[in-house]
Amino acid sequence: MAQEPSFWQQLRERRVVRVAVVYVAAAWASAEASALVTDVFALPIWVPRVVFVLLALGFPVALALAWAFDVTPSGVKRTPPPATARARAPLVVGLAGVAAVSVALAAWWWTQSGDVGPRAVAAAEIPTLAILPFENRSSVPDQAYFVDGLHDDLIIELSKIDGLMVTGRPSVMGYRGAVNPREVADDLGVSAIGTGSVDRAGDRIRVNVQLIDPVTGGQLIAESYDTILAPETIFPIRSELTLRIAEAMSAALTPDEERRIQAVPTGSLDAYDLVLRGRELYEGSPEDVEKALELFTQATRVAPDYADAWAWLGMAYRQRAQKGGYGPEMRDSARLFAAEAIRVDPENARGHYLLGDLERALRLRPNWEGPLITQSTAHWWRRRHVEGLRIGARARQVAPRYALVAEHVADHLYYLLFDEESDRWMGVAEEIDPGYYWIAVFRSLYAAEREEFEEAELQLALVRQRDPGDPNVPWLEMRIGLLQRDAPRVEAAARALVRGRPDWDWWGQQVQSRALLAWALVEQGREDEVGGLLDDALARAESPTHPQETYAAAQALMVQGSLDAAIERLHDAVAEGFPNLRLLRLDPIWDPLRDAPRFVEAVGIIEEDLARQRAEAESIIPTIP
């Protein structure tokens, strides 16, 4: 009696192996094609998932058909079954095993790809969303300011909800006109995308807003409003949209949050329109800032009880200071108008922000990148870099596409002596915004403090090229010249600041420039020209607002020859949080005391503090999104 062929021989004779190889290759190609088609045509993300699952489940079916049938010149014919039950047993076991593996693989792939529908939104511990810029469908083109204002206001209202993480305006404006919500959601790390359009025609307005689940492509909400444009309609629409989105995102609101969202900010549509026009200009050129100031001022006259108009007027004075000079009168005006905003509305977050009450501002608007960035700056100035990195991680959640946030992370890492990580994050900031102004400024400064003077000069040239009149140009010249011990260069740069930009003084530049100008003159043997420079510097630093100012006062005392007073003032700066260990090690002004016990002690305090913070920061750095 002929020996029954082995199971493997039967698989080969029945071409099952060939079918398996061809099927796997074809399935792989089909899966890749489905992913490509999904991206090109912006199909729901579950399309390639369904294709993969069907292909996986079809594999055992294909093998079974290959075993049972054969393709011959005369057509498809059933293959004779094995003669004995013993010969059929491996087939049953094999097909069962393949089927089990296929089902398990399909189930695993489905579950790993995420939930479908609104459940995916609700699954996140804190729901996250981004509202993309609204489309302007108005027949009149100059309504862009109004459309962008409504979009910004919706983000502001949503940012008042502590149980919801909404991406800030600076990170979403680059997605104007985006057509693939899934790609945007992946970029921003959010679980829902809001889109909308506004059509303003005369005294009527039509607003359409959709909230999209990027996993399925389905709409979580779709709201449309067509009404007369008036305070009693536009603000309730904004409030209703905010509450509907919060509900769709399963975000719980406190009674206070709901009350603040439903509040009507002003009864004057004219004042609201003036504020929106001013906000459109607020971040532009110095000339635009002046126009914004006029518009905000008009708004306060039209509606003196409009808190946001006062707050934005304060913001404009703050912006004027940053654009055109840092005189104290600018800061005083900003604080004055912020105080008026709070008098009108004690819960005005922008007013508290301008007055420096950052914690109160964040309690009123927990997802606002502005106070977070300011907190980060304060931590940076006070050598609290671990806290700054934690704030940076939170700010990156709110503003993942905001170069300023990435640059702040880089700054903290630089002062912690994590140079590679700092350079990487400065690169992130540059990738987000290649034209971001501060990248070249800090790259020049940091290169000089690492004694990489060729790179420092290259970055300084970029700063000068962008704006030859920028006060950061002589300030960087002064710092680079000091570290190179180039007294004539320091003299020229310091004079440019003392005489040319006496209003520029936002972290002690006026004290620094006078102290370093005196040093440069002494180094060149021209002590008789110092005059009252050092007395002026010390008088300006009597009530320091910044550790850099205290450090500059210590430099002035060194140049004056008051060594004991200088070292005590240096210790004051260190106690206040002076962060710059590299500068302290390289600054030639300290050469006479370099080996003095009190100077070595000051350096040691900073070194010990940074070593402690570096150890703590090691676990934080990988968590920054």
Side-chain angles (χ1 to χ4, degrees):
M1 181 170 134
Q3 185 177 4
E4 185 79 37
S6 69
F7 178 58
W8 178 250
Q9 288 174 325
Q10 293 183 66
L11 289 178
R12 294 184 62 185
E13 290 173 0
R14 296 166 181 261
R15 298 188 177 89
V16 174
V17 175
R18 182 185 302 175
V19 169
V21 172
V22 172
Y23 187 93
V24 169
W28 179 263
S30 299
E32 288 293 313
S34 69
L36 178 62
V37 169
T38 297
D39 286 338
V40 172
F41 293 102
L43 299 177
I45 197 171
W46 50 259
V47 171
R49 208 178 335 154
V50 170
V51 170
F52 182 90
V53 169
L54 292 176
L55 290 170
L57 295 177
F59 186 53
V61 176
L63 296 186
L65 291 175
W67 177 275
F69 297 94
D70 194 11
V71 179
T72 68
S74 56
V76 178
K77 293 186 177 181
R78 182 178 177 82
T79 306
T84 65
R86 182 178 179 181
R88 290 193 297 270
L91 171 65
V92 175
V93 174
L95 284 176
V98 170
V101 171
S102 298
V103 171
L105 183 61
W108 176 84
W109 181 264
W110 183 269
T111 57
Q112 290 300 307
S113 299
D115 291 332
V116 179
R119 289 176 300 161
V121 174
E125 183 178 347
I126 297 181
T128 56
L129 82 154
I131 307 295
L132 304 190
F134 290 166
E135 179 186 358
N136 180 14
R137 293 185 178 175
S138 305
S139 56
V140 182
D142 69 352
Q143 293 302 305
Y145 79 92
F146 188 82
V147 176
D148 286 346
L150 292 186
H151 165 255
D152 192 21
D153 278 350
L154 183 57
I155 293 176
I156 290 172
E157 295 305 300
L158 289 166
S159 72
K160 296 176 180 178
I161 303 172
D162 193 26
L164 183 65
M165 183 72 72
V166 59
T167 303
R169 182 179 184 273
S171 291
V172 299
M173 294 308 290
Y175 293 94
R176 190 186 297 276
V179 296
N180 192 331
R182 184 164 65 90
E183 287 185 358
V184 178
D186 288 343
D187 284 351
L188 298 177
V190 297
S191 54
I193 294 292
T195 62
S197 64
V198 177
D199 182 356
R200 181 181 181 183
D203 63 349
R204 294 201 66 84
I205 185 171
R206 182 177 179 83
V207 180
N208 296 297
V209 174
Q210 303 82 38
L211 189 64
I212 299 170
D213 181 347
V215 176
T216 66
Q219 292 182 342
L220 300 174
I221 67 168
E223 300 294 333
S224 181
Y225 304 89
D226 190 343
T227 183
I228 296 290
L229 181 57
E232 56 268 22
T233 58
I234 191 66
F235 297 125
I237 287 174
R238 187 178 73 183
S239 301
E240 184 178 333
L241 276 172
T242 303
L243 297 175
R244 288 282 291 114
I245 290 172
E247 180 184 14
M249 298 296 295
S250 301
L253 276 70
T254 67
D256 281 343
E257 288 172 344
E258 188 167 351
R259 174 181 54 78
R260 285 194 287 267
I261 289 169
Q262 291 180 329
V264 175
T266 180
S268 170
L269 185 62
D270 289 340
Y272 180 60
D273 192 80
L274 287 166
V275 167
L276 293 188
R277 289 180 185 273
R279 281 159 51 177
E280 188 76 2
L281 297 168
Y282 159 77
E283 293 182 313
S285 66
E287 294 74 21
D288 287 337
V289 174
E290 292 304 314
K291 292 176 184 176
L293 269 168
E294 294 175 9
L295 290 165
F296 295 141
T297 301
Q298 290 179 43
T300 62
R301 292 170 180 164
V302 172
D305 59 348
Y306 186 11
D308 257 355
W310 290 106
W312 276 106
L313 183 56
M315 292 289 286
Y317 270 95
R318 181 173 178 262
Q319 189 77 338
R320 176 198 260 180
Q322 294 178 352
K323 294 283 185 179
Y326 291 77
E329 70 279 0
M330 295 295 104
R331 293 191 294 266
D332 291 345
S333 295
R335 294 178 63 85
L336 175 67
F337 295 125
E340 181 62 17
I342 293 174
R343 187 194 67 77
V344 174
D345 177 9
E347 293 185 321
N348 187 275
R350 199 172 302 276
H352 288 289
Y353 168 61
L354 279 170
L355 289 177
D357 191 349
L358 305 180
E359 292 297 333
R360 181 71 186 276
L362 284 170
R363 283 198 299 272
L364 294 167
R365 279 184 61 188
N367 297 300
W368 183 13
E369 71 278 356
L372 293 173
I373 292 169
T374 304
Q375 281 186 333
S376 173
T377 303
H379 289 316
W380 164 29
W381 286 350
R382 301 288 178 179
R383 206 174 62 245
R384 298 191 294 256
H385 302 301
V386 169
E387 291 84 349
L389 288 176
R390 290 196 178 101
I391 293 291
R394 181 178 171 189
R396 282 280 295 172
Q397 289 180 307
V398 177
R401 301 292 299 172
Y402 194 12
L404 177 59
V405 174
E407 177 249 301
H408 270 239
V409 173
D411 295 332
H412 285 293
L413 291 168
Y414 170 79
Y415 284 107
L416 283 172
L417 312 182
F418 288 111
D419 286 357
E420 287 188 13
E421 281 295 314
S422 175
D423 290 344
R424 184 177 73 82
W425 275 99
M426 201 65 81
V428 172
E430 187 173 33
E431 182 272 325
I432 293 172
D433 183 359
Y436 177 55
Y437 162 79
W438 286 103
I439 293 173
V441 173
F442 285 113
R443 278 179 171 164
S444 178
L445 176 64
Y446 295 166
E449 292 176 350
R450 291 189 291 210
E451 297 183 274
E452 299 167 359
F453 293 113
E454 185 175 345
E455 177 65 16
E457 298 289 359
L458 176 64
Q459 297 297 328
L460 172 58
L462 292 176
V463 179
R464 186 185 292 110
Q465 179 181 342
R466 289 174 183 169
D467 183 2
D470 183 349
N472 277 300
V473 172
W475 182 72
L476 287 169
E477 292 264 17
M478 186 175 69
R479 179 63 66 85
I480 294 170
L482 175 69
L483 298 178
Q484 290 180 318
R485 300 169 183 257
D486 185 345
R489 186 178 189 181
V490 172
E491 179 189 353
R495 285 192 188 280
L497 288 175
V498 171
R499 295 178 178 176
R501 291 307 301 267
D503 57 340
W504 193 65
D505 191 21
W506 59 292
W507 58 350
Q509 285 92 335
Q510 292 303 316
V511 179
Q512 293 175 44
S513 57
R514 283 160 174 77
L516 294 189
L517 176 55
W519 172 83
L521 293 171
V522 170
E523 286 293 299
Q524 296 175 82
R526 294 154 54 194
E527 293 90 343
D528 57 318
E529 296 181 35
V530 171
L533 279 173
L534 294 173
D535 290 339
D536 189 8
L538 293 171
R540 288 170 178 268
E542 282 185 359
S543 301
T545 59
H546 188 289
Q548 291 274 11
E549 210 165 30
T550 305
Y551 180 81
Q555 290 175 308
L557 288 167
M558 281 295 295
V559 177
Q560 193 180 63
S562 305
L563 304 190
D564 290 340
I567 201 70
E568 294 308 315
R569 202 64 179 267
L570 174 62
H571 273 268
D572 290 342
V574 171
E576 291 169 12
F578 178 72
N580 203 334
L581 178 63
R582 298 178 212 245
L583 175 60
L584 189 55
R585 286 171 172 170
L586 295 173
D587 188 345
I589 289 177
W590 295 104
D591 286 352
L593 292 178
R594 190 73 59 188
D595 298 322
R598 286 285 282 165
F599 182 83
V600 173
E601 181 186 357
V603 173
I605 291 171
I606 299 178
E607 288 176 335
E608 183 179 346
D609 187 25
L610 292 183
R612 176 189 60 79
Q613 291 194 59
R614 278 174 59 88
E616 195 171 349
E618 292 276 6
S619 61
I620 298 173
I621 294 171
T623 68
I624 302 174

